[in-house]
Amino acid sequence: GLVEQSNGTIVRMLSSMKAQSKNPENFHWSEALPEVMYNMNTDYHGNTRSSAFEILFGQLPNLGNFLKANFK
């Protein structure tokens, strides 16, 4: 179902990030997960003509706040 599809997307994104990492043997999925979730939640969906973030909060995401919270 939808949960399995979302989990597959998360796994593929994390695998891609690990493969592109400069130091893949020290890649920690838990550190990359906020970026993956941000990307998924702000991705535009044609059916709704908006992102999940926009539907939930009624506005476009502020990347500055995300960066401050996750990359100190």
Side-chain angles (χ1 to χ4, degrees):
L2 293 176
V3 172
E4 291 81 5
Q5 184 178 2
S6 294
N7 288 343
T9 299
I10 293 168
V11 168
R12 283 189 299 279
M13 291 176 81
L14 288 170
S15 296
S16 176
M17 290 175 75
K18 182 176 182 177
Q20 294 176 13
S21 174
K22 293 178 182 175
N23 197 359
E25 58 275 356
N26 290 327
F27 181 83
H28 299 284
W29 68 267
S30 59
E31 294 174 7
L33 193 57
E35 183 178 348
V36 169
M37 296 312 304
Y38 182 86
N39 287 332
M40 288 182 69
N41 290 331
T42 58
D43 191 31
Y44 178 84
H45 298 276
N47 292 340
T48 61
R49 296 185 182 161
S50 60
S51 68
F53 186 96
E54 289 177 82
I55 292 171
L56 186 60
F57 297 107
Q59 64 185 25
L60 293 173
N62 181 340
L63 182 58
N65 289 339
F66 171 78
L67 293 174
K68 287 178 192 174
N70 292 289
F71 299 99
K72 295 177 183 178

Short mmCIF file of all heavy atoms in Angstrom, two decimals:
data_model
loop_
_atom_site.label_atom_id
_atom_site.label_comp_id
_atom_site.label_asym_id
_atom_site.label_seq_id
_atom_site.Cartn_x
_atom_site.Cartn_y
_atom_site.Cartn_z
N GLY A 1 0.80 -1.19 0.00
CA GLY A 1 0.00 0.00 0.00
C GLY A 1 0.85 1.25 0.00
O GLY A 1 2.02 1.25 -0.38
N LEU A 2 0.25 2.32 0.45
CA LEU A 2 0.92 3.62 0.45
C LEU A 2 2.09 3.69 1.42
O LEU A 2 3.10 4.34 1.14
CB LEU A 2 -0.10 4.72 0.77
CG LEU A 2 -1.16 4.96 -0.29
CD1 LEU A 2 -2.17 6.00 0.19
CD2 LEU A 2 -0.54 5.40 -1.59
N VAL A 3 1.96 3.03 2.57
CA VAL A 3 3.06 3.04 3.54
C VAL A 3 4.28 2.35 2.97
O VAL A 3 5.40 2.86 3.08
CB VAL A 3 2.62 2.39 4.87
CG1 VAL A 3 3.80 2.22 5.80
CG2 VAL A 3 1.51 3.20 5.53
N GLU A 4 4.06 1.21 2.35
CA GLU A 4 5.17 0.48 1.75
C GLU A 4 5.83 1.28 0.62
O GLU A 4 7.05 1.28 0.47
CB GLU A 4 4.70 -0.88 1.21
CG GLU A 4 4.32 -1.87 2.29
CD GLU A 4 2.92 -1.66 2.86
OE1 GLU A 4 2.18 -0.79 2.36
OE2 GLU A 4 2.58 -2.35 3.83
N GLN A 5 5.02 1.99 -0.15
CA GLN A 5 5.55 2.82 -1.23
C GLN A 5 6.40 3.95 -0.65
O GLN A 5 7.50 4.23 -1.13
CB GLN A 5 4.40 3.39 -2.06
CG GLN A 5 4.86 4.19 -3.25
CD GLN A 5 3.69 4.71 -4.08
OE1 GLN A 5 2.53 4.51 -3.75
NE2 GLN A 5 4.01 5.39 -5.16
N SER A 6 5.91 4.59 0.40
CA SER A 6 6.67 5.67 1.04
C SER A 6 7.97 5.14 1.65
O SER A 6 9.02 5.77 1.52
CB SER A 6 5.84 6.35 2.13
OG SER A 6 4.75 7.02 1.56
N ASN A 7 7.90 3.98 2.32
CA ASN A 7 9.11 3.40 2.89
C ASN A 7 10.12 3.06 1.81
O ASN A 7 11.33 3.27 2.00
CB ASN A 7 8.76 2.15 3.70
CG ASN A 7 8.07 2.47 5.00
OD1 ASN A 7 8.09 3.60 5.47
ND2 ASN A 7 7.44 1.47 5.58
N GLY A 8 9.67 2.57 0.68
CA GLY A 8 10.56 2.28 -0.44
C GLY A 8 11.23 3.54 -0.96
O GLY A 8 12.42 3.53 -1.28
N THR A 9 10.47 4.63 -1.03
CA THR A 9 11.03 5.90 -1.46
C THR A 9 12.11 6.37 -0.49
O THR A 9 13.18 6.82 -0.91
CB THR A 9 9.93 6.97 -1.57
OG1 THR A 9 8.96 6.54 -2.54
CG2 THR A 9 10.49 8.32 -1.97
N ILE A 10 11.86 6.25 0.80
CA ILE A 10 12.83 6.65 1.81
C ILE A 10 14.10 5.82 1.67
O ILE A 10 15.22 6.36 1.69
CB ILE A 10 12.24 6.52 3.23
CG1 ILE A 10 11.12 7.55 3.42
CG2 ILE A 10 13.31 6.69 4.29
CD1 ILE A 10 10.27 7.33 4.66
N VAL A 11 13.96 4.52 1.52
CA VAL A 11 15.12 3.64 1.37
C VAL A 11 15.92 4.00 0.13
O VAL A 11 17.16 4.08 0.17
CB VAL A 11 14.67 2.15 1.34
CG1 VAL A 11 15.82 1.25 0.91
CG2 VAL A 11 14.14 1.73 2.69
N ARG A 12 15.24 4.24 -0.99
CA ARG A 12 15.95 4.61 -2.23
C ARG A 12 16.69 5.94 -2.08
O ARG A 12 17.83 6.07 -2.53
CB ARG A 12 14.97 4.67 -3.40
CG ARG A 12 14.58 3.30 -3.93
CD ARG A 12 13.79 3.39 -5.23
NE ARG A 12 12.54 4.11 -5.08
CZ ARG A 12 11.41 3.59 -4.58
NH1 ARG A 12 11.39 2.33 -4.19
NH2 ARG A 12 10.32 4.31 -4.49
N MET A 13 16.05 6.90 -1.43
CA MET A 13 16.70 8.20 -1.24
C MET A 13 17.92 8.09 -0.34
O MET A 13 18.97 8.67 -0.62
CB MET A 13 15.70 9.22 -0.69
CG MET A 13 14.61 9.60 -1.69
SD MET A 13 13.37 10.70 -1.00
CE MET A 13 14.22 12.26 -1.12
N LEU A 14 17.80 7.33 0.76
CA LEU A 14 18.94 7.14 1.65
C LEU A 14 20.06 6.38 0.96
O LEU A 14 21.24 6.72 1.13
CB LEU A 14 18.50 6.40 2.92
CG LEU A 14 17.64 7.20 3.90
CD1 LEU A 14 17.08 6.29 4.98
CD2 LEU A 14 18.42 8.35 4.51
N SER A 15 19.71 5.37 0.17
CA SER A 15 20.73 4.61 -0.57
C SER A 15 21.47 5.50 -1.56
O SER A 15 22.69 5.41 -1.70
CB SER A 15 20.09 3.44 -1.31
OG SER A 15 19.54 2.53 -0.40
N SER A 16 20.73 6.36 -2.23
CA SER A 16 21.34 7.29 -3.17
C SER A 16 22.26 8.28 -2.46
O SER A 16 23.36 8.56 -2.94
CB SER A 16 20.24 8.05 -3.93
OG SER A 16 20.80 9.01 -4.79
N MET A 17 21.82 8.77 -1.31
CA MET A 17 22.66 9.70 -0.55
C MET A 17 23.93 9.01 -0.08
O MET A 17 25.01 9.61 -0.10
CB MET A 17 21.87 10.26 0.64
CG MET A 17 20.77 11.21 0.23
SD MET A 17 19.78 11.74 1.62
CE MET A 17 20.88 12.91 2.40
N LYS A 18 23.82 7.76 0.35
CA LYS A 18 25.00 7.01 0.80
C LYS A 18 25.97 6.81 -0.36
O LYS A 18 27.17 6.98 -0.21
CB LYS A 18 24.61 5.67 1.39
CG LYS A 18 25.78 4.88 1.90
CD LYS A 18 25.36 3.59 2.56
CE LYS A 18 26.57 2.85 3.11
NZ LYS A 18 26.18 1.63 3.81
N ALA A 19 25.45 6.45 -1.53
CA ALA A 19 26.29 6.22 -2.70
C ALA A 19 27.01 7.50 -3.13
O ALA A 19 28.14 7.44 -3.62
CB ALA A 19 25.45 5.69 -3.85
N GLN A 20 26.37 8.65 -2.94
CA GLN A 20 26.97 9.92 -3.35
C GLN A 20 27.83 10.54 -2.26
O GLN A 20 28.51 11.54 -2.49
CB GLN A 20 25.87 10.90 -3.75
CG GLN A 20 25.11 10.48 -4.98
CD GLN A 20 23.96 11.40 -5.30
OE1 GLN A 20 23.85 12.50 -4.77
NE2 GLN A 20 23.07 10.95 -6.16
N SER A 21 27.82 9.94 -1.08
CA SER A 21 28.58 10.46 0.06
C SER A 21 30.08 10.36 -0.21
O SER A 21 30.56 9.41 -0.83
CB SER A 21 28.22 9.67 1.32
OG SER A 21 29.04 10.05 2.38
N LYS A 22 30.83 11.34 0.28
CA LYS A 22 32.28 11.31 0.14
C LYS A 22 32.90 10.23 1.00
O LYS A 22 34.00 9.77 0.74
CB LYS A 22 32.87 12.68 0.51
CG LYS A 22 32.48 13.78 -0.45
CD LYS A 22 33.05 15.10 -0.03
CE LYS A 22 32.60 16.17 -1.01
NZ LYS A 22 33.00 17.51 -0.60
N ASN A 23 32.18 9.83 2.05
CA ASN A 23 32.68 8.82 2.97
C ASN A 23 31.56 7.83 3.29
O ASN A 23 31.03 7.81 4.39
CB ASN A 23 33.18 9.52 4.24
CG ASN A 23 34.08 8.65 5.06
OD1 ASN A 23 34.33 7.51 4.72
ND2 ASN A 23 34.54 9.18 6.18
N PRO A 24 31.18 6.97 2.31
CA PRO A 24 30.01 6.10 2.48
C PRO A 24 30.11 5.12 3.64
O PRO A 24 29.08 4.74 4.20
CB PRO A 24 29.90 5.36 1.16
CG PRO A 24 31.06 5.72 0.34
CD PRO A 24 31.81 6.81 1.03
N GLU A 25 31.32 4.73 4.04
CA GLU A 25 31.42 3.78 5.15
C GLU A 25 31.04 4.40 6.49
O GLU A 25 30.72 3.69 7.43
CB GLU A 25 32.83 3.16 5.23
CG GLU A 25 33.95 4.14 5.39
CD GLU A 25 34.46 4.73 4.09
OE1 GLU A 25 34.01 4.34 3.01
OE2 GLU A 25 35.31 5.63 4.17
N ASN A 26 31.05 5.72 6.56
CA ASN A 26 30.64 6.41 7.79
C ASN A 26 29.28 7.09 7.65
O ASN A 26 28.96 7.98 8.42
CB ASN A 26 31.69 7.45 8.19
CG ASN A 26 32.97 6.81 8.68
OD1 ASN A 26 32.93 5.74 9.28
ND2 ASN A 26 34.09 7.43 8.41
N PHE A 27 28.51 6.68 6.67
CA PHE A 27 27.18 7.25 6.44
C PHE A 27 26.22 6.74 7.51
O PHE A 27 26.16 5.55 7.79
CB PHE A 27 26.67 6.84 5.05
CG PHE A 27 25.32 7.39 4.72
CD1 PHE A 27 25.19 8.68 4.22
CD2 PHE A 27 24.17 6.64 4.91
CE1 PHE A 27 23.95 9.19 3.90
CE2 PHE A 27 22.93 7.14 4.60
CZ PHE A 27 22.81 8.42 4.10
N HIS A 28 25.50 7.66 8.14
CA HIS A 28 24.52 7.30 9.16
C HIS A 28 23.14 7.75 8.68
O HIS A 28 22.90 8.95 8.51
CB HIS A 28 24.85 7.96 10.50
CG HIS A 28 26.17 7.54 11.04
ND1 HIS A 28 26.38 6.32 11.63
CD2 HIS A 28 27.36 8.17 11.06
CE1 HIS A 28 27.63 6.22 12.00
NE2 HIS A 28 28.26 7.34 11.66
N TRP A 29 22.26 6.78 8.44
CA TRP A 29 20.93 7.10 7.91
C TRP A 29 20.17 8.04 8.83
O TRP A 29 19.40 8.88 8.37
CB TRP A 29 20.13 5.82 7.64
CG TRP A 29 19.73 5.07 8.88
CD1 TRP A 29 20.41 4.05 9.46
CD2 TRP A 29 18.57 5.29 9.68
NE1 TRP A 29 19.75 3.62 10.58
CE2 TRP A 29 18.61 4.37 10.73
CE3 TRP A 29 17.50 6.19 9.60
CZ2 TRP A 29 17.62 4.32 11.71
CZ3 TRP A 29 16.53 6.13 10.58
CH2 TRP A 29 16.59 5.20 11.61
N SER A 30 20.37 7.93 10.14
CA SER A 30 19.63 8.76 11.08
C SER A 30 19.98 10.24 10.93
O SER A 30 19.15 11.12 11.20
CB SER A 30 19.87 8.31 12.51
OG SER A 30 21.25 8.37 12.83
N GLU A 31 21.20 10.53 10.48
CA GLU A 31 21.60 11.92 10.26
C GLU A 31 21.06 12.45 8.94
O GLU A 31 20.85 13.66 8.79
CB GLU A 31 23.12 12.03 10.30
CG GLU A 31 23.69 11.74 11.67
CD GLU A 31 25.20 11.72 11.69
OE1 GLU A 31 25.84 12.06 10.65
OE2 GLU A 31 25.77 11.35 12.73
N ALA A 32 20.83 11.58 7.97
CA ALA A 32 20.33 11.99 6.66
C ALA A 32 18.81 12.04 6.61
O ALA A 32 18.25 12.67 5.72
CB ALA A 32 20.86 11.05 5.58
N LEU A 33 18.15 11.38 7.54
CA LEU A 33 16.69 11.27 7.50
C LEU A 33 15.97 12.62 7.50
O LEU A 33 15.00 12.79 6.75
CB LEU A 33 16.19 10.39 8.65
CG LEU A 33 14.74 9.95 8.56
CD1 LEU A 33 14.46 9.20 7.26
CD2 LEU A 33 14.40 9.08 9.76
N PRO A 34 16.39 13.63 8.29
CA PRO A 34 15.67 14.92 8.22
C PRO A 34 15.66 15.53 6.82
O PRO A 34 14.64 16.08 6.38
CB PRO A 34 16.45 15.81 9.20
CG PRO A 34 17.04 14.86 10.17
CD PRO A 34 17.39 13.64 9.35
N GLU A 35 16.77 15.40 6.10
CA GLU A 35 16.82 15.94 4.74
C GLU A 35 15.88 15.17 3.81
O GLU A 35 15.18 15.76 2.98
CB GLU A 35 18.24 15.90 4.20
CG GLU A 35 18.39 16.51 2.83
CD GLU A 35 19.83 16.50 2.34
OE1 GLU A 35 20.75 16.23 3.12
OE2 GLU A 35 20.00 16.77 1.14
N VAL A 36 15.85 13.85 3.95
CA VAL A 36 14.96 13.01 3.14
C VAL A 36 13.51 13.38 3.41
O VAL A 36 12.71 13.57 2.49
CB VAL A 36 15.21 11.51 3.41
CG1 VAL A 36 14.13 10.65 2.78
CG2 VAL A 36 16.58 11.11 2.90
N MET A 37 13.15 13.51 4.68
CA MET A 37 11.76 13.83 5.04
C MET A 37 11.39 15.23 4.55
O MET A 37 10.28 15.45 4.08
CB MET A 37 11.55 13.71 6.55
CG MET A 37 11.75 12.29 7.06
SD MET A 37 10.89 11.00 6.11
CE MET A 37 9.22 11.54 6.17
N TYR A 38 12.31 16.18 4.66
CA TYR A 38 12.04 17.52 4.15
C TYR A 38 11.77 17.48 2.65
O TYR A 38 10.82 18.07 2.15
CB TYR A 38 13.22 18.46 4.44
CG TYR A 38 12.97 19.87 3.98
CD1 TYR A 38 12.31 20.78 4.80
CD2 TYR A 38 13.39 20.30 2.73
CE1 TYR A 38 12.07 22.07 4.37
CE2 TYR A 38 13.15 21.58 2.30
CZ TYR A 38 12.49 22.46 3.13
OH TYR A 38 12.24 23.75 2.69
N ASN A 39 12.60 16.73 1.92
CA ASN A 39 12.42 16.61 0.47
C ASN A 39 11.08 15.97 0.13
O ASN A 39 10.39 16.41 -0.79
CB ASN A 39 13.56 15.81 -0.15
CG ASN A 39 14.85 16.59 -0.20
OD1 ASN A 39 14.85 17.81 -0.26
ND2 ASN A 39 15.96 15.89 -0.13
N MET A 40 10.72 14.93 0.86
CA MET A 40 9.45 14.27 0.58
C MET A 40 8.26 15.17 0.90
O MET A 40 7.28 15.22 0.16
CB MET A 40 9.34 12.97 1.38
CG MET A 40 10.26 11.88 0.86
SD MET A 40 10.09 10.34 1.76
CE MET A 40 8.45 9.83 1.26
N ASN A 41 8.35 15.89 2.01
CA ASN A 41 7.22 16.73 2.44
C ASN A 41 7.07 18.01 1.63
O ASN A 41 6.01 18.62 1.65
CB ASN A 41 7.34 17.06 3.93
CG ASN A 41 7.11 15.86 4.80
OD1 ASN A 41 6.37 14.95 4.44
ND2 ASN A 41 7.73 15.84 5.96
N THR A 42 8.12 18.42 0.95
CA THR A 42 8.04 19.65 0.16
C THR A 42 7.98 19.38 -1.34
O THR A 42 7.96 20.32 -2.14
CB THR A 42 9.22 20.58 0.47
OG1 THR A 42 10.44 19.89 0.21
CG2 THR A 42 9.19 21.04 1.92
N ASP A 43 7.94 18.11 -1.73
CA ASP A 43 7.85 17.74 -3.13
C ASP A 43 6.46 18.07 -3.68
O ASP A 43 5.45 17.79 -3.04
CB ASP A 43 8.15 16.25 -3.29
CG ASP A 43 8.32 15.84 -4.73
OD1 ASP A 43 8.80 16.68 -5.53
OD2 ASP A 43 7.99 14.68 -5.06
N TYR A 44 6.41 18.65 -4.85
CA TYR A 44 5.14 19.02 -5.49
C TYR A 44 4.42 17.77 -5.98
O TYR A 44 5.03 16.87 -6.57
CB TYR A 44 5.42 19.96 -6.67
CG TYR A 44 4.19 20.37 -7.44
CD1 TYR A 44 3.40 21.42 -7.01
CD2 TYR A 44 3.83 19.70 -8.60
CE1 TYR A 44 2.27 21.81 -7.71
CE2 TYR A 44 2.70 20.07 -9.32
CZ TYR A 44 1.93 21.13 -8.87
OH TYR A 44 0.82 21.50 -9.57
N HIS A 45 3.12 17.70 -5.73
CA HIS A 45 2.30 16.59 -6.19
C HIS A 45 1.26 17.11 -7.17
O HIS A 45 0.49 18.03 -6.84
CB HIS A 45 1.60 15.91 -5.00
CG HIS A 45 2.56 15.31 -4.03
ND1 HIS A 45 3.09 14.06 -4.19
CD2 HIS A 45 3.10 15.80 -2.89
CE1 HIS A 45 3.91 13.81 -3.20
NE2 HIS A 45 3.94 14.85 -2.39
N GLY A 46 1.25 16.53 -8.34
CA GLY A 46 0.34 16.98 -9.40
C GLY A 46 -1.13 16.83 -9.06
O GLY A 46 -1.95 17.66 -9.45
N ASN A 47 -1.49 15.76 -8.34
CA ASN A 47 -2.90 15.55 -8.01
C ASN A 47 -3.45 16.65 -7.11
O ASN A 47 -4.59 17.08 -7.28
CB ASN A 47 -3.10 14.19 -7.32
CG ASN A 47 -2.84 13.03 -8.27
OD1 ASN A 47 -2.88 13.21 -9.48
ND2 ASN A 47 -2.59 11.88 -7.73
N THR A 48 -2.67 17.08 -6.15
CA THR A 48 -3.14 18.12 -5.21
C THR A 48 -2.68 19.51 -5.62
O THR A 48 -3.13 20.50 -5.04
CB THR A 48 -2.60 17.84 -3.79
OG1 THR A 48 -1.17 17.85 -3.82
CG2 THR A 48 -3.11 16.51 -3.27
N ARG A 49 -1.79 19.56 -6.60
CA ARG A 49 -1.21 20.82 -7.07
C ARG A 49 -0.51 21.59 -5.95
O ARG A 49 -0.52 22.82 -5.91
CB ARG A 49 -2.27 21.69 -7.74
CG ARG A 49 -2.82 21.07 -8.99
CD ARG A 49 -3.77 21.97 -9.69
NE ARG A 49 -4.30 21.28 -10.86
CZ ARG A 49 -5.40 21.65 -11.46
NH1 ARG A 49 -6.08 22.68 -11.03
NH2 ARG A 49 -5.82 20.99 -12.51
N SER A 50 0.06 20.85 -5.02
CA SER A 50 0.82 21.45 -3.93
C SER A 50 1.65 20.35 -3.26
O SER A 50 1.62 19.20 -3.67
CB SER A 50 -0.12 22.10 -2.92
OG SER A 50 -1.01 21.14 -2.38
N SER A 51 2.37 20.73 -2.23
CA SER A 51 3.15 19.76 -1.47
C SER A 51 2.40 19.40 -0.19
O SER A 51 1.46 20.09 0.22
CB SER A 51 4.52 20.35 -1.11
OG SER A 51 4.36 21.41 -0.18
N ALA A 52 2.83 18.33 0.45
CA ALA A 52 2.23 17.94 1.73
C ALA A 52 2.41 19.06 2.75
O ALA A 52 1.52 19.34 3.56
CB ALA A 52 2.85 16.65 2.24
N PHE A 53 3.55 19.73 2.71
CA PHE A 53 3.82 20.84 3.63
C PHE A 53 2.80 21.96 3.43
O PHE A 53 2.24 22.48 4.40
CB PHE A 53 5.24 21.38 3.40
CG PHE A 53 5.65 22.43 4.40
CD1 PHE A 53 6.37 22.08 5.51
CD2 PHE A 53 5.30 23.76 4.22
CE1 PHE A 53 6.75 23.04 6.44
CE2 PHE A 53 5.68 24.73 5.13
CZ PHE A 53 6.40 24.37 6.24
N GLU A 54 2.54 22.31 2.18
CA GLU A 54 1.59 23.37 1.89
C GLU A 54 0.18 23.01 2.35
O GLU A 54 -0.54 23.86 2.87
CB GLU A 54 1.56 23.68 0.39
CG GLU A 54 2.81 24.37 -0.10
CD GLU A 54 2.76 24.57 -1.60
OE1 GLU A 54 2.13 25.56 -2.04
OE2 GLU A 54 3.34 23.74 -2.32
N ILE A 55 -0.20 21.77 2.17
CA ILE A 55 -1.53 21.33 2.61
C ILE A 55 -1.65 21.40 4.12
O ILE A 55 -2.65 21.87 4.66
CB ILE A 55 -1.82 19.90 2.10
CG1 ILE A 55 -1.97 19.91 0.59
CG2 ILE A 55 -3.06 19.32 2.77
CD1 ILE A 55 -2.03 18.54 -0.04
N LEU A 56 -0.60 20.97 4.81
CA LEU A 56 -0.64 20.94 6.27
C LEU A 56 -0.56 22.33 6.90
O LEU A 56 -1.29 22.64 7.83
CB LEU A 56 0.50 20.06 6.80
CG LEU A 56 0.55 19.80 8.29
CD1 LEU A 56 -0.72 19.09 8.75
CD2 LEU A 56 1.76 18.96 8.63
N PHE A 57 0.34 23.18 6.38
CA PHE A 57 0.59 24.48 7.00
C PHE A 57 0.02 25.67 6.25
O PHE A 57 0.04 26.79 6.76
CB PHE A 57 2.10 24.68 7.21
CG PHE A 57 2.69 23.66 8.14
CD1 PHE A 57 3.50 22.65 7.66
CD2 PHE A 57 2.43 23.70 9.50
CE1 PHE A 57 4.05 21.70 8.51
CE2 PHE A 57 2.97 22.76 10.36
CZ PHE A 57 3.78 21.76 9.87
N GLY A 58 -0.47 25.47 5.03
CA GLY A 58 -1.08 26.56 4.28
C GLY A 58 -0.11 27.59 3.76
O GLY A 58 -0.50 28.71 3.43
N GLN A 59 1.16 27.24 3.66
CA GLN A 59 2.17 28.16 3.14
C GLN A 59 3.35 27.37 2.58
O GLN A 59 3.48 26.18 2.83
CB GLN A 59 2.67 29.10 4.23
CG GLN A 59 3.39 28.39 5.37
CD GLN A 59 3.77 29.32 6.49
OE1 GLN A 59 3.16 30.36 6.67
NE2 GLN A 59 4.79 28.95 7.24
N LEU A 60 4.18 28.06 1.84
CA LEU A 60 5.40 27.43 1.32
C LEU A 60 6.39 27.24 2.46
O LEU A 60 6.40 28.02 3.41
CB LEU A 60 6.02 28.30 0.23
CG LEU A 60 5.20 28.44 -1.06
CD1 LEU A 60 5.84 29.46 -1.99
CD2 LEU A 60 5.07 27.10 -1.75
N PRO A 61 7.23 26.21 2.38
CA PRO A 61 8.21 25.98 3.45
C PRO A 61 9.30 27.05 3.47
O PRO A 61 9.62 27.66 2.46
CB PRO A 61 8.80 24.62 3.10
CG PRO A 61 8.57 24.47 1.65
CD PRO A 61 7.31 25.21 1.34
N ASN A 62 9.85 27.27 4.64
CA ASN A 62 10.95 28.21 4.83
C ASN A 62 12.23 27.39 5.01
O ASN A 62 12.46 26.82 6.07
CB ASN A 62 10.69 29.08 6.06
CG ASN A 62 11.79 30.10 6.28
OD1 ASN A 62 12.89 29.96 5.80
ND2 ASN A 62 11.47 31.13 7.03
N LEU A 63 13.03 27.32 3.99
CA LEU A 63 14.24 26.50 4.03
C LEU A 63 15.21 26.98 5.11
O LEU A 63 15.89 26.18 5.73
CB LEU A 63 14.93 26.52 2.66
CG LEU A 63 16.19 25.67 2.52
CD1 LEU A 63 15.90 24.22 2.83
CD2 LEU A 63 16.77 25.81 1.13
N GLY A 64 15.24 28.26 5.38
CA GLY A 64 16.14 28.79 6.41
C GLY A 64 15.90 28.17 7.77
O GLY A 64 16.84 27.80 8.47
N ASN A 65 14.65 28.01 8.17
CA ASN A 65 14.34 27.40 9.46
C ASN A 65 14.75 25.94 9.48
O ASN A 65 15.23 25.44 10.50
CB ASN A 65 12.85 27.52 9.77
CG ASN A 65 12.45 28.94 10.09
OD1 ASN A 65 13.29 29.76 10.46
ND2 ASN A 65 11.19 29.24 9.94
N PHE A 66 14.56 25.23 8.39
CA PHE A 66 14.98 23.83 8.30
C PHE A 66 16.48 23.71 8.48
O PHE A 66 16.97 22.86 9.22
CB PHE A 66 14.53 23.21 6.98
CG PHE A 66 15.10 21.85 6.75
CD1 PHE A 66 14.56 20.74 7.39
CD2 PHE A 66 16.18 21.65 5.90
CE1 PHE A 66 15.11 19.47 7.20
CE2 PHE A 66 16.71 20.39 5.70
CZ PHE A 66 16.17 19.31 6.34
N LEU A 67 17.22 24.55 7.80
CA LEU A 67 18.67 24.49 7.88
C LEU A 67 19.16 24.79 9.29
O LEU A 67 20.04 24.12 9.81
CB LEU A 67 19.30 25.45 6.88
CG LEU A 67 19.11 25.09 5.40
CD1 LEU A 67 19.66 26.20 4.51
CD2 LEU A 67 19.74 23.77 5.07
N LYS A 68 18.55 25.79 9.93
CA LYS A 68 18.96 26.15 11.30
C LYS A 68 18.69 24.99 12.26
O LYS A 68 19.48 24.73 13.15
CB LYS A 68 18.20 27.39 11.76
CG LYS A 68 18.64 28.66 11.11
CD LYS A 68 17.79 29.82 11.59
CE LYS A 68 18.02 31.04 10.76
NZ LYS A 68 17.08 32.13 11.12
N ALA A 69 17.57 24.32 12.10
CA ALA A 69 17.18 23.26 13.02
C ALA A 69 17.98 21.98 12.82
O ALA A 69 18.19 21.23 13.77
CB ALA A 69 15.69 22.96 12.89
N ASN A 70 18.43 21.70 11.61
CA ASN A 70 19.02 20.40 11.31
C ASN A 70 20.51 20.40 10.98
O ASN A 70 21.13 19.35 10.95
CB ASN A 70 18.26 19.74 10.16
CG ASN A 70 16.87 19.36 10.59
OD1 ASN A 70 16.68 18.45 11.36
ND2 ASN A 70 15.89 20.10 10.10
N PHE A 71 21.08 21.55 10.72
CA PHE A 71 22.48 21.59 10.33
C PHE A 71 23.23 22.67 11.13
O PHE A 71 23.73 23.62 10.58
CB PHE A 71 22.61 21.86 8.82
CG PHE A 71 21.98 20.78 7.99
CD1 PHE A 71 20.71 20.96 7.45
CD2 PHE A 71 22.63 19.59 7.77
CE1 PHE A 71 20.10 19.96 6.70
CE2 PHE A 71 22.04 18.59 7.01
CZ PHE A 71 20.79 18.77 6.48
N LYS A 72 23.28 22.48 12.42
CA LYS A 72 23.94 23.46 13.30
C LYS A 72 25.44 23.33 13.23
O LYS A 72 25.99 22.31 13.03
CB LYS A 72 23.47 23.25 14.74
CG LYS A 72 22.01 23.55 14.90
CD LYS A 72 21.58 23.27 16.30
CE LYS A 72 20.06 23.53 16.39
NZ LYS A 72 19.54 23.24 17.69
#
